[in-house]
Amino acid sequence: MTFTNSKLPLLVGSGKVVQASYRDPLISSYRDNPLIEALPNILSSESVINSIANYPSYDEAERYLPLHLRLHLAQNVLRFFQPLPVHLDLEARFSRLIRGGYQFRNPILLDFWKNSELRLEALSHDEFPANYMYTSAYGFTIIGISGIGKTTAVSAILSLYPQVIVHSCYKNTNFTHCQIVWLKLDCPFDGSIKGLCLNFFQAIDEILKTNYLKNYISSRRTVDELIPSMARVASLHCIGVLVIDEIQHLNEAKSGGANKMLNFFVQLVNTIGVPVVLVGTYKAMSVLSGEFRQARRDSGQGDLIWDSMLEDDVWELFLESLWRYQYVKKLSPLTSSISHALYESSAGITDFAVKVYMLAQIRAMTTESEIINEGVIRSVAADSLRLARPILDALKTGNVKVLHNIEDVYPTDITSVIKSATNNIKVDGKLSSSPAVKKSLAESDLIKVEICDLQKSDLKKSQQKQIKNPTTKPNQNGLLAINNSNLPNKVTAYEELKSTGYIRPATEFITLDEDE
């Protein structure tokens, strides 16, 4: 396959397409192999952190924007990504895996393509070729609970590499080749091998603009015929690593399909030399065959069991980076009690921690407390993580049996939460009526006011409101002032607590589907 257009598209699928540019890999065993020399430099830990971290821009002045704008800003934390030690470990594994897999696949060697054909023939007959040569390829699995960040981390690390490298000339010699560095697929929901083959050929066609799907897929072709074809394409384009996500779907495979697919992955590793990485939840552990475990054990690479964070220095690093994204008007310092409350609420799962932090800000804004504290965090977690409660409880108690049976757990839908919060906003114009804010909005889209002036203005307005209408908001004595002796006739304590905002509706952050 050749490219007639010298201007290559920047993105094909989810990865880059680049013309080959060769560099010294600085390791002797990696030299004189165009597949390795065309890869980016091996990164140091510092370079990895700088490359995969994502810190959304933050302007403290935006904390004083009107409420409806700050509700949007609170979602910035969803784009936040803090590299942790587990990400550095994972990047190093992929770096070694891709280059190690290419060591014994050097397309400029005279017998490379001949040996490749022999191996493909052997794969068709489910055997090893007579001249089988040890390869340095290997595979491993990444197992962890939903929401821990497996897929996000793998995607971030793969993005450090171009997906396709187009070769034309290597060391003054014509070398026309289209190298696929990585390919990431989802395991079909029914765990079928034919579905995986279909996904594979569709992905290759999308990346390279080929017609493999049309040429190889038909209703008459059996799985036994499709597997060697898939291996042939993988070998032809020298795939550096094949990542199969959602591998727990193999639980749904029928009549031994799970073992057959795992055996095929082992054959790709051992016979063709294509490294395979399987990614899934704890539910996948029950379908990993002894054969695939043995293949990984021989490689010495080891599996990655990705548990939730411990409440240690790594948790503090993550939370300190996240905590700066505050959009409430009253800055709250990160205390040990707040840190512990957020850890207990999320069980150290990054996805839950980020979303609880965001929802806590939304609640603080809409209830006009405008501050994040331990109570708000625990309240939001209790309301918004009801579906996740089984897995959180299992993590706290170490109940592995429960974790194996839980495939996916999601927090409350963010869009519905924000919509519900927006509907509960009391339109009193407190912030937008400030002369300083109005003037600033007229001059630019960004409010820039002195913190002390705004705090004084808000305090004065709050005091004036309490004097004019003492029954609509808690007074200076708070709950202590709400008792039976001070209540108007025919007003119960419950009604007074509800009218003053101390009691919120139980369905505040719950949105049921229509069919429920």
Side-chain angles (χ1 to χ4, degrees):
M1 190 201 72
T2 58
F3 284 89
T4 56
N5 188 350
S6 59
K7 291 186 68 176
L8 296 172
L10 293 177
L11 289 172
V12 177
S14 58
K16 298 177 183 176
V17 177
V18 301
Q19 292 281 4
S21 176
Y22 306 104
R23 55 185 60 82
D24 186 354
L26 304 178
I27 296 177
S28 59
S29 58
Y30 290 168
R31 291 192 177 107
D32 300 320
N33 186 329
L35 302 180
I36 297 179
E37 292 185 3
L39 297 174
N41 292 325
I42 299 175
L43 298 177
S44 64
S45 296
E46 183 179 357
S47 298
V48 173
I49 292 173
N50 293 333
S51 299
I52 67 176
N54 186 24
Y55 304 120
S57 60
Y58 177 74
D59 188 337
E60 188 173 341
E62 290 181 328
R63 290 175 38 235
Y64 305 106
L65 285 169
L67 176 57
H68 67 283
L69 298 180
R70 289 187 290 131
L71 289 175
H72 287 260
L73 289 169
Q75 296 182 85
N76 282 347
V77 297
L78 299 178
R79 297 185 289 111
F80 167 82
F81 184 78
Q82 170 63 52
L84 302 172
V86 66
H87 301 119
L88 300 181
D89 175 29
L90 193 59
E91 187 280 331
R93 290 176 186 237
F94 271 96
S95 181
R96 296 191 301 267
L97 177 145
I98 293 173
R99 291 169 176 83
Y102 280 142
Q103 273 191 282
F104 290 92
R105 287 188 293 162
N106 191 338
I108 66 171
L109 298 180
L110 294 177
D111 59 349
F112 171 77
W113 296 109
K114 179 181 178 180
N115 288 336
S116 296
E117 189 62 31
L118 290 174
R119 294 181 182 188
L120 288 168
E121 288 295 326
L123 181 60
S124 300
H125 296 89
D126 198 21
E127 61 185 22
F128 288 112
N131 65 339
Y132 172 72
M133 178 178 60
Y134 170 77
T135 73
S136 58
Y138 43 77
F140 69 96
T141 60
I142 305 171
I143 300 296
I145 56 179
S146 295
I148 203 68
K150 303 182 300 295
T151 299
T152 300
V154 170
S155 298
I157 290 166
L158 292 178
S159 70
L160 300 175
Y161 297 85
Q163 187 169 32
V164 178
I165 301 177
V166 181
H167 302 260
S168 57
C169 182
Y170 177 70
K171 293 187 176 181
N172 300 319
T173 302
N174 289 334
F175 174 57
T176 302
H177 184 69
C178 191
Q179 171 188 0
I180 299 178
V181 179
W182 56 269
L183 187 66
K184 182 175 178 292
L185 304 174
D186 282 347
C187 183
F189 286 103
D190 59 357
S192 70
I193 299 179
K194 191 164 187 176
L196 179 67
C197 293
L198 177 67
N199 293 346
F200 175 85
F201 291 124
Q202 282 181 327
I204 298 294
D205 287 346
E206 182 180 351
I207 294 169
L208 302 181
K209 309 304 179 187
T210 50
N211 293 307
Y212 288 123
L213 182 64
K214 181 179 179 181
N215 295 336
Y216 287 119
I217 296 291
S218 69
S219 59
R220 298 179 180 179
R221 301 201 67 176
T222 65
V223 168
D224 291 336
E225 293 174 318
L226 289 174
I227 285 178
S229 299
M230 181 176 168
R232 183 176 296 277
V233 173
S235 177
L236 176 64
H237 294 291
C238 297
I239 293 180
V241 59
L242 177 62
V243 179
I244 309 295
D245 202 353
E246 308 294 351
I247 199 66
Q248 68 273 6
H249 291 157
L250 284 181
N251 276 312
E252 307 302 326
K254 300 177 181 179
S255 61
N259 287 335
K260 194 168 187 178
M261 185 178 290
L262 290 171
N263 289 337
F264 169 60
F265 293 148
V266 173
Q267 288 175 314
L268 281 181
V269 173
N270 292 337
T271 307
I272 310 302
V274 177
V276 178
V277 175
L278 306 181
V279 184
T281 65
Y282 280 112
K283 194 174 182 179
M285 295 181 73
S286 61
V287 301
L288 294 177
S289 69
E291 182 175 358
F292 194 69
R293 286 199 299 269
Q294 185 62 42
R296 300 194 308 276
R297 200 177 294 125
D298 290 342
S299 74
Q301 183 69 8
D303 294 330
L304 177 60
I305 305 300
W306 197 332
D307 291 324
S308 57
M309 279 187 285
L310 299 175
E311 195 173 5
D312 56 12
D313 292 342
V314 175
W315 169 256
E316 292 302 323
L317 167 66
F318 166 76
L319 203 53
E320 286 174 3
S321 299
L322 175 66
W323 202 253
R324 68 186 295 259
Y325 295 98
Q326 288 193 44
Y327 297 97
V328 290
K329 289 193 289 184
K330 302 174 185 177
L331 278 179
S332 174
L334 178 59
T335 63
S336 57
S337 61
I338 289 179
S339 174
H340 182 65
L342 191 54
Y343 182 83
E344 280 201 330
S345 300
S346 64
I349 302 175
T350 53
D351 183 64
F352 292 161
V354 168
K355 289 177 180 176
V356 167
Y357 178 59
M358 183 196 74
L359 295 176
Q361 294 199 57
I362 292 175
R363 176 163 293 183
M365 293 176 192
T366 56
T367 59
E368 299 182 339
S369 66
E370 292 290 355
I371 191 168
I372 308 171
N373 54 39
E374 181 181 349
V376 173
I377 289 173
R378 294 189 185 278
S379 173
V380 164
D383 294 342
S384 304
L385 297 183
R386 296 183 183 183
L387 295 177
R389 189 54 51 193
I391 197 171
L392 297 178
D393 292 340
L395 285 169
K396 290 179 181 179
T397 60
N399 193 331
V400 179
K401 183 178 180 180
V402 173
L403 293 175
H404 285 182
N405 294 327
I406 297 176
E407 182 174 349
D408 289 302
V409 179
Y410 301 99
T412 302
D413 178 66
I414 299 301
T415 303
S416 65
V417 171
I418 295 177
K419 181 179 179 181
S420 176
T422 304
N423 292 337
N424 289 329
I425 295 175
K426 296 180 180 179
V427 183
D428 58 9
K430 181 171 67 174
L431 181 60
S432 60
S433 63
S434 168
V437 173
K438 282 187 175 181
K439 180 181 178 181
S440 181
L441 282 172
E443 294 175 351
S444 68
D445 293 330
L446 185 63
I447 297 177
K448 296 180 180 179
V449 294
E450 294 292 336
I451 296 176
C452 59
D453 290 343
L454 186 57
Q455 289 177 338
K456 290 178 181 178
S457 175
D458 287 345
L459 179 60
K460 183 177 180 181
K461 289 181 180 181
S462 177
Q463 292 172 342
Q464 290 174 346
K465 280 193 170 187
Q466 291 175 7
I467 294 173
K468 291 180 180 179
N469 192 2
T471 61
T472 58
K473 289 187 180 293
N475 60 27
Q476 294 180 354
N477 293 324
L479 287 170
L480 295 176
I482 301 176
N483 55 62
N484 291 331
S485 62
N486 292 332
L487 295 177
N489 293 333
K490 297 183 181 181
V491 176
T492 65
Y494 173 84
E495 292 172 338
E496 179 67 8
L497 288 170
K498 185 175 180 180
S499 66
T500 54
Y502 285 107
I503 293 179
R504 308 291 296 177
T507 58
E508 178 182 357
F509 293 111
I510 303 296
T511 300
L512 297 177
D513 296 334
E514 293 181 359
D515 58 355
E516 295 181 342

Coordinates of all heavy atoms in Angstrom, one line a residue, residues 167-231:
H167 N 6.9 4.4 6.0 CA 8.3 4.3 5.6 C 8.4 4.4 4.1 O 7.6 3.9 3.4 CB 8.9 3.0 6.1 CG 8.8 2.8 7.6 ND1 9.9 3.1 8.4 CD2 7.8 2.4 8.4 CE1 9.5 2.8 9.7 NE2 8.3 2.4 9.7
S168 N 9.4 5.0 3.6 CA 9.7 5.1 2.2 C 11.2 4.8 1.9 O 11.5 4.2 0.8 CB 9.3 6.4 1.6 OG 10.0 7.5 2.2
C169 N 12.1 5.2 2.7 CA 13.5 5.1 2.5 C 14.2 4.9 3.8 O 14.0 5.8 4.7 CB 14.1 6.2 1.7 SG 15.8 6.1 1.3
Y170 N 15.1 3.9 3.9 CA 15.8 3.7 5.2 C 17.3 3.4 4.8 O 17.6 2.5 4.1 CB 15.3 2.5 5.9 CG 16.0 2.1 7.2 CD1 16.0 2.9 8.3 CD2 16.8 1.0 7.3 CE1 16.7 2.6 9.5 CE2 17.5 0.6 8.4 CZ 17.4 1.5 9.5 OH 18.1 1.2 10.7
K171 N 18.1 4.3 5.3 CA 19.6 4.3 5.1 C 19.9 4.2 3.6 O 20.6 3.3 3.1 CB 20.2 3.1 5.8 CG 20.2 3.2 7.4 CD 20.9 2.1 8.1 CE 20.9 2.4 9.6 NZ 21.7 1.4 10.3
N172 N 19.3 5.1 2.9 CA 19.5 5.3 1.4 C 19.1 4.1 0.6 O 19.5 3.9 -0.5 CB 21.0 5.6 1.1 CG 21.5 6.8 1.8 OD1 20.8 7.8 1.8 ND2 22.7 6.8 2.3
T173 N 18.2 3.3 1.2 CA 17.6 2.1 0.5 C 16.1 2.2 0.5 O 15.5 2.6 1.5 CB 18.0 0.8 1.2 OG1 19.5 0.7 1.2 CG2 17.5 -0.4 0.4
N174 N 15.5 2.0 -0.7 CA 14.0 2.0 -0.7 C 13.4 1.0 0.3 O 13.8 -0.1 0.3 CB 13.5 1.6 -2.1 CG 13.9 2.7 -3.1 OD1 14.0 3.9 -2.8 ND2 14.0 2.4 -4.4
F175 N 12.5 1.5 1.1 CA 11.8 0.7 2.1 C 10.4 1.2 2.2 O 10.1 2.2 2.9 CB 12.6 0.8 3.4 CG 11.8 0.1 4.5 CD1 11.5 -1.3 4.4 CD2 11.5 0.7 5.7 CE1 10.8 -1.9 5.4 CE2 10.8 0.1 6.7 CZ 10.5 -1.2 6.6
T176 N 9.5 0.6 1.5 CA 8.1 1.0 1.5 C 7.3 0.1 2.4 O 7.2 -1.1 2.1 CB 7.5 1.0 0.0 OG1 8.3 1.8 -0.8 CG2 6.1 1.4 0.1
H177 N 6.9 0.7 3.5 CA 6.1 -0.1 4.5 C 5.2 0.8 5.3 O 5.6 2.0 5.5 CB 7.1 -0.8 5.4 CG 6.5 -1.7 6.4 ND1 5.9 -2.9 6.0 CD2 6.3 -1.6 7.7 CE1 5.4 -3.5 7.1 NE2 5.7 -2.7 8.1
C178 N 4.1 0.3 5.7 CA 3.2 1.0 6.5 C 3.1 0.3 7.9 O 2.5 -0.8 8.0 CB 1.8 1.1 5.9 SG 0.7 2.2 6.6
Q179 N 3.7 0.9 8.9 CA 3.8 0.3 10.2 C 2.7 0.8 11.1 O 2.5 2.1 11.3 CB 5.2 0.7 10.8 CG 5.4 0.3 12.3 CD 6.7 0.9 12.8 OE1 7.4 1.5 12.1 NE2 6.9 0.6 14.1
I180 N 1.9 -0.1 11.7 CA 0.9 0.3 12.7 C 1.5 0.1 14.1 O 1.8 -1.1 14.5 CB -0.4 -0.5 12.6 CG1 -1.0 -0.3 11.2 CG2 -1.4 -0.2 13.7 CD1 -2.3 -1.1 11.0
V181 N 1.8 1.1 14.8 CA 2.5 1.0 16.1 C 1.5 0.4 17.2 O 2.0 -0.4 18.0 CB 3.0 2.4 16.6 CG1 3.7 2.3 17.9 CG2 3.9 3.0 15.5
W182 N 0.3 0.9 17.2 CA -0.7 0.4 18.2 C -2.1 0.3 17.6 O -2.4 1.1 16.7 CB -0.6 1.2 19.5 CG -0.9 2.7 19.3 CD1 0.0 3.7 19.1 CD2 -2.2 3.3 19.3 NE1 -0.6 4.9 18.9 CE2 -1.9 4.7 19.1 CE3 -3.5 2.9 19.4 CZ2 -3.0 5.6 19.0 CZ3 -4.5 3.8 19.4 CH2 -4.2 5.2 19.2
L183 N -2.8 -0.6 18.1 CA -4.2 -0.7 17.7 C -5.0 -1.1 19.0 O -4.7 -2.1 19.7 CB -4.4 -1.8 16.7 CG -5.8 -1.9 16.1 CD1 -6.1 -0.6 15.3 CD2 -5.9 -3.1 15.2
K184 N -6.0 -0.4 19.3 CA -6.8 -0.6 20.5 C -8.3 -0.9 20.1 O -8.9 -0.1 19.4 CB -6.8 0.7 21.4 CG -7.6 0.5 22.7 CD -7.3 1.8 23.6 CE -8.1 1.7 24.9 NZ -9.6 1.8 24.6
L185 N -8.8 -2.0 20.6 CA -10.1 -2.5 20.2 C -10.9 -2.8 21.5 O -10.3 -3.1 22.5 CB -10.1 -3.7 19.4 CG -9.3 -3.7 18.0 CD1 -9.3 -5.0 17.4 CD2 -9.9 -2.6 17.1
D186 N -12.2 -2.7 21.4 CA -13.1 -3.2 22.5 C -13.5 -4.6 22.2 O -13.8 -5.0 21.1 CB -14.3 -2.3 22.7 CG -14.0 -1.0 23.4 OD1 -12.9 -0.9 24.0 OD2 -14.8 -0.1 23.4
C187 N -13.5 -5.4 23.3 CA -14.0 -6.8 23.1 C -15.5 -6.7 22.9 O -16.2 -6.0 23.5 CB -13.7 -7.6 24.4 SG -14.2 -9.3 24.3
P188 N -16.0 -7.5 21.9 CA -17.4 -7.4 21.6 C -18.3 -7.8 22.9 O -17.8 -8.5 23.7 CB -17.6 -8.5 20.5 CG -16.3 -8.6 19.9 CD -15.3 -8.4 21.0
F189 N -19.5 -7.2 22.9 CA -20.3 -7.4 24.1 C -20.6 -8.9 24.3 O -20.8 -9.3 25.5 CB -21.6 -6.6 24.0 CG -21.4 -5.1 24.3 CD1 -21.3 -4.2 23.2 CD2 -21.2 -4.7 25.5 CE1 -21.1 -2.9 23.4 CE2 -21.0 -3.3 25.8 CZ -21.0 -2.4 24.7
D190 N -20.7 -9.6 23.2 CA -21.1 -11.1 23.4 C -19.8 -11.9 23.4 O -19.9 -13.2 23.5 CB -22.0 -11.5 22.2 CG -21.3 -11.3 20.8 OD1 -20.2 -10.8 20.8 OD2 -21.9 -11.7 19.8
G191 N -18.6 -11.3 23.4 CA -17.4 -12.1 23.5 C -17.1 -12.9 22.3 O -16.3 -13.9 22.5
S192 N -17.7 -12.6 21.2 CA -17.5 -13.5 20.0 C -16.2 -13.2 19.3 O -15.8 -12.0 19.1 CB -18.7 -13.4 19.0 OG -18.7 -12.1 18.4
I193 N -15.5 -14.2 18.8 CA -14.3 -14.0 18.0 C -14.6 -13.4 16.7 O -13.8 -12.5 16.2 CB -13.6 -15.4 17.9 CG1 -13.2 -16.0 19.2 CG2 -12.3 -15.2 17.0 CD1 -12.5 -17.3 19.1
K194 N -15.7 -13.8 16.1 CA -16.0 -13.2 14.8 C -16.3 -11.7 14.9 O -15.9 -10.9 14.1 CB -17.2 -13.9 14.2 CG -17.5 -13.5 12.7 CD -18.5 -14.5 12.1 CE -18.6 -14.1 10.6 NZ -19.4 -15.1 9.9
G195 N -16.9 -11.3 16.0 CA -17.1 -9.9 16.3 C -15.8 -9.1 16.4 O -15.7 -8.0 16.0
L196 N -14.8 -9.8 17.1 CA -13.5 -9.1 17.3 C -12.8 -9.0 16.0 O -12.2 -8.0 15.7 CB -12.7 -10.0 18.3 CG -11.3 -9.4 18.5 CD1 -11.3 -8.1 19.3 CD2 -10.4 -10.4 19.3
C197 N -12.9 -10.0 15.1 CA -12.3 -9.9 13.8 C -12.9 -8.8 13.0 O -12.2 -8.1 12.3 CB -12.5 -11.3 13.1 SG -11.5 -12.6 13.8
L198 N -14.2 -8.7 13.1 CA -14.9 -7.6 12.4 C -14.4 -6.3 12.8 O -14.1 -5.4 12.0 CB -16.4 -7.8 12.6 CG -17.3 -6.7 12.0 CD1 -17.3 -6.8 10.5 CD2 -18.8 -6.8 12.5
N199 N -14.3 -6.1 14.1 CA -13.8 -4.8 14.7 C -12.4 -4.6 14.2 O -12.0 -3.4 13.9 CB -13.9 -4.8 16.2 CG -15.3 -4.9 16.8 OD1 -16.3 -4.6 16.0 ND2 -15.5 -5.2 18.0
F200 N -11.6 -5.6 14.2 CA -10.2 -5.5 13.8 C -10.1 -5.0 12.4 O -9.4 -4.0 12.1 CB -9.5 -6.8 13.9 CG -8.1 -6.9 13.4 CD1 -7.0 -6.4 14.3 CD2 -7.8 -7.3 12.2 CE1 -5.7 -6.5 13.8 CE2 -6.5 -7.3 11.7 CZ -5.4 -6.9 12.5
F201 N -10.8 -5.6 11.4 CA -10.7 -5.2 10.0 C -11.3 -3.8 9.8 O -10.7 -3.1 9.0 CB -11.3 -6.3 9.1 CG -10.6 -7.6 9.1 CD1 -11.3 -8.8 9.4 CD2 -9.3 -7.6 8.7 CE1 -10.6 -10.0 9.3 CE2 -8.6 -8.9 8.7 CZ -9.3 -10.0 9.0
Q202 N -12.4 -3.5 10.5 CA -12.9 -2.2 10.4 C -11.9 -1.1 10.8 O -11.8 -0.1 10.2 CB -14.2 -2.1 11.2 CG -15.4 -2.7 10.5 CD -16.7 -2.6 11.4 OE1 -16.6 -2.6 12.6 NE2 -17.8 -2.5 10.7
A203 N -11.3 -1.4 11.9 CA -10.3 -0.4 12.5 C -9.1 -0.2 11.5 O -8.7 0.9 11.3 CB -9.8 -0.9 13.8
I204 N -8.6 -1.3 10.9 CA -7.5 -1.2 10.0 C -7.9 -0.4 8.8 O -7.2 0.4 8.3 CB -7.0 -2.6 9.6 CG1 -6.5 -3.4 10.8 CG2 -5.9 -2.5 8.5 CD1 -5.2 -2.8 11.4
D205 N -9.1 -0.7 8.3 CA -9.6 0.0 7.1 C -9.8 1.5 7.4 O -9.5 2.3 6.5 CB -10.9 -0.6 6.6 CG -10.8 -1.9 5.9 OD1 -9.6 -2.3 5.6 OD2 -11.8 -2.6 5.8
E206 N -10.2 1.8 8.6 CA -10.4 3.2 8.9 C -9.0 4.0 9.0 O -8.9 5.1 8.6 CB -11.1 3.4 10.2 CG -11.4 4.8 10.7 CD -12.1 4.9 12.0 OE1 -12.6 3.9 12.5 OE2 -12.2 6.0 12.5
I207 N -8.0 3.3 9.5 CA -6.7 3.9 9.7 C -6.0 4.0 8.3 O -5.4 5.1 8.0 CB -5.9 3.0 10.6 CG1 -6.5 3.1 12.0 CG2 -4.4 3.5 10.7 CD1 -5.8 2.1 13.0
L208 N -6.0 2.9 7.5 CA -5.2 2.9 6.3 C -6.0 3.1 5.0 O -5.3 3.1 4.0 CB -4.5 1.5 6.2 CG -3.6 1.2 7.4 CD1 -2.9 -0.2 7.2 CD2 -2.5 2.2 7.7
K209 N -7.3 3.2 5.1 CA -8.1 3.4 3.9 C -8.0 2.2 3.0 O -7.9 2.3 1.8 CB -7.8 4.7 3.1 CG -7.7 5.9 4.0 CD -9.1 6.1 4.7 CE -9.0 7.4 5.6 NZ -10.2 7.6 6.4
T210 N -8.0 1.0 3.6 CA -7.9 -0.3 2.9 C -9.3 -0.9 2.8 O -10.3 -0.3 3.2 CB -6.9 -1.2 3.6 OG1 -7.3 -1.3 5.0 CG2 -5.5 -0.7 3.5
N211 N -9.3 -2.1 2.2 CA -10.6 -2.9 2.0 C -10.5 -4.3 2.6 O -11.1 -5.2 2.1 CB -11.0 -2.9 0.5 CG -11.3 -1.6 -0.1 OD1 -12.1 -0.9 0.5 ND2 -10.6 -1.3 -1.2
Y212 N -9.9 -4.4 3.8 CA -9.7 -5.7 4.4 C -11.1 -6.3 4.8 O -11.3 -7.5 4.6 CB -8.8 -5.6 5.6 CG -7.3 -5.4 5.2 CD1 -6.6 -4.3 5.7 CD2 -6.7 -6.3 4.4 CE1 -5.3 -4.2 5.4 CE2 -5.3 -6.1 4.0 CZ -4.6 -5.0 4.6 OH -3.3 -4.8 4.2
L213 N -11.9 -5.5 5.3 CA -13.2 -6.0 5.7 C -14.0 -6.6 4.6 O -14.6 -7.7 4.7 CB -14.1 -4.8 6.3 CG -15.4 -5.2 6.9 CD1 -15.3 -6.1 8.1 CD2 -16.2 -3.9 7.3
K214 N -14.0 -5.9 3.5 CA -14.7 -6.4 2.3 C -14.1 -7.7 1.8 O -14.7 -8.6 1.3 CB -14.7 -5.3 1.2 CG -15.4 -5.7 -0.1 CD -15.4 -4.6 -1.1 CE -16.1 -5.0 -2.4 NZ -16.1 -3.9 -3.4
N215 N -12.7 -7.8 1.8 CA -12.0 -8.9 1.3 C -12.1 -10.1 2.2 O -12.1 -11.3 1.6 CB -10.5 -8.5 1.0 CG -10.4 -7.5 0.0 OD1 -11.2 -7.3 -0.9 ND2 -9.3 -6.7 0.1
Y216 N -12.2 -9.9 3.5 CA -12.0 -11.1 4.4 C -13.3 -11.5 5.1 O -13.5 -12.7 5.5 CB -11.0 -10.8 5.5 CG -9.6 -10.8 5.0 CD1 -8.8 -9.7 5.1 CD2 -9.0 -12.0 4.5 CE1 -7.5 -9.7 4.7 CE2 -7.7 -12.0 4.1 CZ -6.9 -10.9 4.1 OH -5.6 -10.9 3.7
I217 N -14.3 -10.6 5.2 CA -15.5 -10.9 6.0 C -16.6 -11.2 5.0 O -16.9 -10.5 4.1 CB -15.9 -9.7 6.9 CG1 -14.9 -9.4 7.9 CG2 -17.3 -10.0 7.5 CD1 -14.8 -10.5 9.0
S218 N -17.2 -12.4 5.2 CA -18.4 -12.8 4.5 C -19.2 -13.8 5.4 O -18.6 -14.3 6.4 CB -18.0 -13.5 3.2 OG -17.4 -14.7 3.4
S219 N -20.4 -14.0 5.1 CA -21.2 -14.8 6.0 C -20.8 -16.3 5.9 O -21.1 -17.1 6.8 CB -22.7 -14.7 5.5 OG -22.8 -15.1 4.2
R220 N -20.1 -16.7 4.9 CA -19.7 -18.0 4.7 C -18.4 -18.4 5.5 O -18.1 -19.5 5.7 CB -19.5 -18.4 3.2 CG -20.8 -18.2 2.5 CD -20.6 -18.6 1.0 NE -21.8 -18.4 0.2 CZ -21.9 -18.7 -1.1 NH1 -20.8 -19.0 -1.8 NH2 -23.1 -18.5 -1.7
R221 N -17.6 -17.4 5.8 CA -16.3 -17.6 6.4 C -16.4 -18.0 7.8 O -17.2 -17.3 8.6 CB -15.4 -16.4 6.2 CG -15.1 -16.1 4.7 CD -13.9 -15.3 4.6 NE -12.7 -16.1 4.9 CZ -11.4 -15.6 4.7 NH1 -11.2 -14.4 4.3 NH2 -10.4 -16.4 5.0
T222 N -15.7 -19.0 8.3 CA -15.8 -19.4 9.6 C -14.8 -18.7 10.5 O -13.8 -18.0 9.9 CB -15.5 -20.9 9.7 OG1 -14.2 -21.2 9.3 CG2 -16.5 -21.7 8.9
V223 N -14.9 -18.8 11.8 CA -13.9 -18.2 12.7 C -12.5 -18.7 12.5 O -11.5 -18.0 12.5 CB -14.4 -18.4 14.1 CG1 -13.2 -18.0 15.1 CG2 -15.6 -17.6 14.4
D224 N -12.4 -20.1 12.2 CA -11.2 -20.7 11.9 C -10.5 -20.1 10.7 O -9.2 -20.1 10.6 CB -11.3 -22.2 11.8 CG -11.7 -22.9 13.1 OD1 -11.4 -22.3 14.2 OD2 -12.3 -23.9 13.1
E225 N -11.2 -19.6 9.8 CA -10.7 -19.0 8.6 C -10.3 -17.5 8.8 O -9.4 -17.0 8.3 CB -11.7 -19.1 7.4 CG -11.9 -20.5 6.9 CD -13.0 -20.5 5.9 OE1 -14.0 -19.9 6.1 OE2 -12.8 -21.3 4.9
L226 N -11.1 -16.9 9.7 CA -10.9 -15.4 9.9 C -9.6 -15.2 10.8 O -8.9 -14.2 10.6 CB -12.1 -14.8 10.6 CG -13.3 -14.7 9.7 CD1 -14.5 -14.2 10.6 CD2 -13.1 -13.7 8.6
I227 N -9.4 -16.1 11.8 CA -8.3 -15.8 12.7 C -6.9 -15.8 12.0 O -6.1 -14.8 12.2 CB -8.2 -16.9 13.8 CG1 -9.4 -16.7 14.8 CG2 -6.9 -17.0 14.5 CD1 -9.5 -17.7 15.9
P228 N -6.6 -16.7 11.0 CA -5.3 -16.6 10.3 C -5.3 -15.3 9.4 O -4.2 -14.7 9.3 CB -5.3 -17.8 9.4 CG -6.1 -18.8 10.1 CD -7.2 -18.0 10.7
S229 N -6.4 -14.9 8.9 CA -6.5 -13.6 8.1 C -6.2 -12.4 9.0 O -5.4 -11.5 8.6 CB -7.8 -13.5 7.4 OG -8.1 -14.6 6.6
M230 N -6.7 -12.4 10.2 CA -6.4 -11.3 11.1 C -5.0 -11.3 11.5 O -4.3 -10.2 11.5 CB -7.3 -11.5 12.4 CG -7.2 -10.4 13.4 SD -8.4 -10.7 14.8 CE -7.8 -9.6 16.0
A231 N -4.4 -12.5 11.7 CA -3.0 -12.6 12.1 C -2.1 -12.1 10.9 O -1.1 -11.5 11.1 CB -2.6 -14.0 12.5

